[in-house]
Amino acid sequence: MTEARGSAAGPHGPAQARQVPGAPCWVSLMVHGMAATQEFYGSLFGWEFRPGPRKLGPYVRALLDGHDVAGIGQLPPDRHLPVAWTPYFASDDVGLTADAVRVCGGTVGVGPLDAEDAGRLVIGSDPSGAVFGAWQAAAHLGTSVAGVPGTPAWHELLTFETTSVAKFYETVFGHEEEPAVPADCDYVTLRLGDRPVAGIRGVGAALARDRGPHWMTYFEVADTDEAAALLADLGGQVLRPAHSTPHGRAATVADPEGARFSLIQSPRRGAVDGPTARR
């Protein structure tokens, strides 16, 4: 993980601006049990929920102090898909993005599709099989608050190796590659100009066979140890306990349906900043 702090919205944020094409703008989770999932994340992050577009079935937006943070949707009962958080990258034209995905060796699974008046979307996978989305905003611009507990802080692709897949995102979304220094680990930061927007980590044979290549979302918390303990009390699972990194104290966890994500406490944030979640 590398650090990508700051956004158009601060703790409560000015009016939200449209994201630059290629920047992560939303993150969404498709689950089997909507009510239980909302209760879990509401207790963990203090999220509240309101109905969203129902084009693909039941869907809610998670809000933090009235600001959009993420989405949660209902998986069709006949679809046995992995339950996972999926990042969406901003696009000015998801039709052209879908074409680029196909040309570059990826697959388009959903769309381009209108989400009522909110915008248009595409859900696809890169050549390694990792699933991501592209969002062409209309009424809904995406996540509208950052840098406070309960908000997405970073997105990182875990894959076999970075070289070929980084070229895919560079071509499709206009990202620039910044290899890790020192070069003794297979890590690439994806940038838009001088702004880091996501990371790709090549882990080779260490990649979990039951997951394959996949995107990992980091959510900001006030205290990683407290958040991980609360998550376990709520029925989640701590996959890698809280540990210190150059970018903050992190833990890898899963919700009760198995969706994996990470908790991150930035170095500047201490437990005195406030509670990790609303109990």
mmCIF file of all heavy atoms in Angstrom, residues 186-212:
data_model
loop_
_atom_site.group_PDB
_atom_site.id
_atom_site.type_symbol
_atom_site.label_atom_id
_atom_site.label_comp_id
_atom_site.label_asym_id
_atom_site.label_seq_id
_atom_site.Cartn_x
_atom_site.Cartn_y
_atom_site.Cartn_z
ATOM 1 N N ASP A 186 7.598 -6.809 -5.985
ATOM 2 C CA ASP A 186 6.858 -6.599 -7.227
ATOM 3 C C ASP A 186 5.634 -5.733 -6.925
ATOM 4 O O ASP A 186 4.542 -6.239 -6.685
ATOM 5 C CB ASP A 186 6.457 -7.949 -7.815
ATOM 6 C CG ASP A 186 5.861 -7.822 -9.210
ATOM 7 O OD1 ASP A 186 5.966 -6.735 -9.808
ATOM 8 O OD2 ASP A 186 5.280 -8.810 -9.688
ATOM 9 N N TYR A 187 5.856 -4.421 -6.905
ATOM 10 C CA TYR A 187 4.773 -3.483 -6.573
ATOM 11 C C TYR A 187 4.830 -2.293 -7.515
ATOM 12 O O TYR A 187 5.907 -1.753 -7.787
ATOM 13 C CB TYR A 187 4.891 -2.993 -5.120
ATOM 14 C CG TYR A 187 3.641 -2.294 -4.626
ATOM 15 C CD1 TYR A 187 2.677 -2.991 -3.919
ATOM 16 C CD2 TYR A 187 3.416 -0.941 -4.881
ATOM 17 C CE1 TYR A 187 1.513 -2.373 -3.469
ATOM 18 C CE2 TYR A 187 2.259 -0.304 -4.446
ATOM 19 C CZ TYR A 187 1.312 -1.031 -3.742
ATOM 20 O OH TYR A 187 0.165 -0.415 -3.309
ATOM 21 N N VAL A 188 3.653 -1.904 -7.999
ATOM 22 C CA VAL A 188 3.539 -0.743 -8.883
ATOM 23 C C VAL A 188 2.450 0.168 -8.334
ATOM 24 O O VAL A 188 1.352 -0.294 -7.991
ATOM 25 C CB VAL A 188 3.187 -1.167 -10.326
ATOM 26 C CG1 VAL A 188 2.832 0.046 -11.179
ATOM 27 C CG2 VAL A 188 4.342 -1.935 -10.962
ATOM 28 N N THR A 189 2.756 1.450 -8.229
ATOM 29 C CA THR A 189 1.743 2.452 -7.908
ATOM 30 C C THR A 189 1.192 3.012 -9.204
ATOM 31 O O THR A 189 1.957 3.380 -10.106
ATOM 32 C CB THR A 189 2.344 3.580 -7.055
ATOM 33 O OG1 THR A 189 2.846 3.038 -5.832
ATOM 34 C CG2 THR A 189 1.297 4.633 -6.735
ATOM 35 N N LEU A 190 -0.123 3.067 -9.317
ATOM 36 C CA LEU A 190 -0.777 3.678 -10.467
ATOM 37 C C LEU A 190 -1.066 5.137 -10.136
ATOM 38 O O LEU A 190 -1.630 5.446 -9.079
ATOM 39 C CB LEU A 190 -2.081 2.941 -10.796
ATOM 40 C CG LEU A 190 -1.935 1.454 -11.152
ATOM 41 C CD1 LEU A 190 -3.317 0.834 -11.383
ATOM 42 C CD2 LEU A 190 -1.050 1.267 -12.378
ATOM 43 N N ARG A 191 -0.669 6.033 -11.043
ATOM 44 C CA ARG A 191 -0.793 7.458 -10.788
ATOM 45 C C ARG A 191 -1.565 8.143 -11.910
ATOM 46 O O ARG A 191 -1.582 7.682 -13.063
ATOM 47 C CB ARG A 191 0.595 8.106 -10.674
ATOM 48 C CG ARG A 191 1.510 7.468 -9.671
ATOM 49 C CD ARG A 191 2.867 8.159 -9.620
ATOM 50 N NE ARG A 191 2.740 9.488 -9.041
ATOM 51 C CZ ARG A 191 2.912 9.765 -7.745
ATOM 52 N NH1 ARG A 191 3.229 8.800 -6.910
ATOM 53 N NH2 ARG A 191 2.799 10.987 -7.291
ATOM 54 N N LEU A 192 -2.203 9.240 -11.570
ATOM 55 C CA LEU A 192 -2.759 10.175 -12.538
ATOM 56 C C LEU A 192 -2.056 11.502 -12.294
ATOM 57 O O LEU A 192 -2.312 12.176 -11.289
ATOM 58 C CB LEU A 192 -4.272 10.324 -12.366
ATOM 59 C CG LEU A 192 -5.125 9.119 -12.755
ATOM 60 C CD1 LEU A 192 -6.575 9.335 -12.357
ATOM 61 C CD2 LEU A 192 -5.028 8.833 -14.253
ATOM 62 N N GLY A 193 -1.118 11.854 -13.172
ATOM 63 C CA GLY A 193 -0.295 13.027 -12.923
ATOM 64 C C GLY A 193 0.542 12.799 -11.682
ATOM 65 O O GLY A 193 1.232 11.789 -11.553
ATOM 66 N N ASP A 194 0.473 13.739 -10.732
ATOM 67 C CA ASP A 194 1.266 13.601 -9.506
ATOM 68 C C ASP A 194 0.485 12.926 -8.386
ATOM 69 O O ASP A 194 0.924 12.895 -7.246
ATOM 70 C CB ASP A 194 1.763 14.979 -9.045
ATOM 71 C CG ASP A 194 0.619 15.942 -8.726
ATOM 72 O OD1 ASP A 194 -0.563 15.578 -8.952
ATOM 73 O OD2 ASP A 194 0.913 17.070 -8.273
ATOM 74 N N ARG A 195 -0.665 12.362 -8.697
ATOM 75 C CA ARG A 195 -1.539 11.789 -7.676
ATOM 76 C C ARG A 195 -1.539 10.260 -7.740
ATOM 77 O O ARG A 195 -1.902 9.682 -8.759
ATOM 78 C CB ARG A 195 -2.976 12.290 -7.885
ATOM 79 C CG ARG A 195 -3.992 11.695 -6.913
ATOM 80 C CD ARG A 195 -5.398 12.109 -7.306
ATOM 81 N NE ARG A 195 -6.394 11.424 -6.500
ATOM 82 C CZ ARG A 195 -7.692 11.397 -6.780
ATOM 83 N NH1 ARG A 195 -8.152 12.016 -7.859
ATOM 84 N NH2 ARG A 195 -8.548 10.749 -6.011
ATOM 85 N N PRO A 196 -1.119 9.567 -6.673
ATOM 86 C CA PRO A 196 -1.259 8.111 -6.636
ATOM 87 C C PRO A 196 -2.726 7.746 -6.431
ATOM 88 O O PRO A 196 -3.397 8.314 -5.568
ATOM 89 C CB PRO A 196 -0.407 7.699 -5.434
ATOM 90 C CG PRO A 196 -0.374 8.899 -4.557
ATOM 91 C CD PRO A 196 -0.490 10.107 -5.447
ATOM 92 N N VAL A 197 -3.246 6.800 -7.224
ATOM 93 C CA VAL A 197 -4.666 6.470 -7.135
ATOM 94 C C VAL A 197 -4.932 5.014 -6.762
ATOM 95 O O VAL A 197 -6.021 4.683 -6.273
ATOM 96 C CB VAL A 197 -5.404 6.813 -8.448
ATOM 97 C CG1 VAL A 197 -5.388 8.320 -8.691
ATOM 98 C CG2 VAL A 197 -4.819 6.069 -9.643
ATOM 99 N N ALA A 198 -3.975 4.116 -6.990
ATOM 100 C CA ALA A 198 -4.171 2.700 -6.669
ATOM 101 C C ALA A 198 -2.826 1.996 -6.742
ATOM 102 O O ALA A 198 -1.835 2.567 -7.213
ATOM 103 C CB ALA A 198 -5.171 2.057 -7.633
ATOM 104 N N GLY A 199 -2.808 0.757 -6.281
ATOM 105 C CA GLY A 199 -1.577 -0.016 -6.309
ATOM 106 C C GLY A 199 -1.814 -1.406 -6.861
ATOM 107 O O GLY A 199 -2.933 -1.927 -6.836
ATOM 108 N N ILE A 200 -0.750 -2.003 -7.394
ATOM 109 C CA ILE A 200 -0.788 -3.392 -7.854
ATOM 110 C C ILE A 200 0.365 -4.132 -7.185
ATOM 111 O O ILE A 200 1.520 -3.708 -7.276
ATOM 112 C CB ILE A 200 -0.649 -3.490 -9.384
ATOM 113 C CG1 ILE A 200 -1.755 -2.687 -10.081
ATOM 114 C CG2 ILE A 200 -0.707 -4.950 -9.826
ATOM 115 C CD1 ILE A 200 -1.627 -2.680 -11.596
ATOM 116 N N ARG A 201 0.039 -5.237 -6.505
ATOM 117 C CA ARG A 201 1.049 -6.023 -5.805
ATOM 118 C C ARG A 201 1.105 -7.424 -6.411
ATOM 119 O O ARG A 201 0.095 -8.149 -6.425
ATOM 120 C CB ARG A 201 0.730 -6.115 -4.309
ATOM 121 C CG ARG A 201 1.795 -6.872 -3.497
ATOM 122 C CD ARG A 201 1.398 -6.966 -2.031
ATOM 123 N NE ARG A 201 1.273 -5.661 -1.418
ATOM 124 C CZ ARG A 201 2.285 -4.950 -0.946
ATOM 125 N NH1 ARG A 201 3.522 -5.434 -1.011
ATOM 126 N NH2 ARG A 201 2.072 -3.766 -0.390
ATOM 127 N N GLY A 202 2.257 -7.795 -6.932
ATOM 128 C CA GLY A 202 2.449 -9.142 -7.437
ATOM 129 C C GLY A 202 2.940 -10.048 -6.329
ATOM 130 O O GLY A 202 3.975 -9.768 -5.721
ATOM 131 N N VAL A 203 2.205 -11.115 -6.070
ATOM 132 C CA VAL A 203 2.568 -12.000 -4.964
ATOM 133 C C VAL A 203 2.842 -13.422 -5.436
ATOM 134 O O VAL A 203 3.115 -14.310 -4.622
ATOM 135 C CB VAL A 203 1.464 -12.015 -3.879
ATOM 136 C CG1 VAL A 203 1.319 -10.640 -3.261
ATOM 137 C CG2 VAL A 203 0.125 -12.489 -4.456
ATOM 138 N N GLY A 204 2.794 -13.671 -6.734
ATOM 139 C CA GLY A 204 3.140 -14.981 -7.272
ATOM 140 C C GLY A 204 2.322 -16.110 -6.692
ATOM 141 O O GLY A 204 1.093 -16.016 -6.558
ATOM 142 N N ALA A 205 3.005 -17.164 -6.292
ATOM 143 C CA ALA A 205 2.333 -18.358 -5.785
ATOM 144 C C ALA A 205 1.674 -18.130 -4.425
ATOM 145 O O ALA A 205 0.886 -18.966 -3.975
ATOM 146 C CB ALA A 205 3.324 -19.515 -5.687
ATOM 147 N N ALA A 206 1.972 -17.009 -3.777
ATOM 148 C CA ALA A 206 1.358 -16.727 -2.479
ATOM 149 C C ALA A 206 -0.093 -16.272 -2.608
ATOM 150 O O ALA A 206 -0.800 -16.153 -1.602
ATOM 151 C CB ALA A 206 2.164 -15.651 -1.745
ATOM 152 N N LEU A 207 -0.545 -16.024 -3.836
ATOM 153 C CA LEU A 207 -1.929 -15.611 -4.048
ATOM 154 C C LEU A 207 -2.872 -16.743 -3.654
ATOM 155 O O LEU A 207 -2.684 -17.894 -4.067
ATOM 156 C CB LEU A 207 -2.140 -15.242 -5.518
ATOM 157 C CG LEU A 207 -3.442 -14.534 -5.868
ATOM 158 C CD1 LEU A 207 -3.478 -13.147 -5.248
ATOM 159 C CD2 LEU A 207 -3.598 -14.431 -7.381
ATOM 160 N N ALA A 208 -3.875 -16.405 -2.847
ATOM 161 C CA ALA A 208 -4.812 -17.427 -2.371
ATOM 162 C C ALA A 208 -5.532 -18.088 -3.541
ATOM 163 O O ALA A 208 -6.131 -17.414 -4.371
ATOM 164 C CB ALA A 208 -5.826 -16.798 -1.424
ATOM 165 N N ARG A 209 -5.469 -19.422 -3.585
ATOM 166 C CA ARG A 209 -6.066 -20.150 -4.710
ATOM 167 C C ARG A 209 -7.579 -20.020 -4.742
ATOM 168 O O ARG A 209 -8.199 -20.081 -5.805
ATOM 169 C CB ARG A 209 -5.677 -21.627 -4.631
ATOM 170 C CG ARG A 209 -4.194 -21.889 -4.876
ATOM 171 C CD ARG A 209 -3.890 -23.370 -4.916
ATOM 172 N NE ARG A 209 -2.487 -23.623 -5.201
ATOM 173 C CZ ARG A 209 -1.964 -24.833 -5.329
ATOM 174 N NH1 ARG A 209 -2.747 -25.900 -5.185
ATOM 175 N NH2 ARG A 209 -0.679 -24.991 -5.585
ATOM 176 N N ASP A 210 -8.203 -19.844 -3.570
ATOM 177 C CA ASP A 210 -9.658 -19.756 -3.543
ATOM 178 C C ASP A 210 -10.159 -18.377 -3.944
ATOM 179 O O ASP A 210 -11.358 -18.175 -4.111
ATOM 180 C CB ASP A 210 -10.187 -20.107 -2.148
ATOM 181 C CG ASP A 210 -9.684 -19.147 -1.072
ATOM 182 O OD1 ASP A 210 -8.573 -18.606 -1.235
ATOM 183 O OD2 ASP A 210 -10.399 -18.950 -0.070
ATOM 184 N N ARG A 211 -9.252 -17.417 -4.124
ATOM 185 C CA ARG A 211 -9.667 -16.067 -4.492
ATOM 186 C C ARG A 211 -9.194 -15.682 -5.888
ATOM 187 O O ARG A 211 -9.912 -15.017 -6.632
ATOM 188 C CB ARG A 211 -9.101 -15.040 -3.487
ATOM 189 C CG ARG A 211 -9.474 -15.280 -2.051
ATOM 190 C CD ARG A 211 -10.953 -15.128 -1.803
ATOM 191 N NE ARG A 211 -11.405 -13.772 -2.074
ATOM 192 C CZ ARG A 211 -12.660 -13.360 -1.890
ATOM 193 N NH1 ARG A 211 -13.562 -14.214 -1.458
ATOM 194 N NH2 ARG A 211 -13.005 -12.132 -2.146
ATOM 195 N N GLY A 212 -7.966 -16.063 -6.242
ATOM 196 C CA GLY A 212 -7.402 -15.595 -7.496
ATOM 197 C C GLY A 212 -7.091 -14.107 -7.399
ATOM 198 O O GLY A 212 -7.231 -13.478 -6.339
#
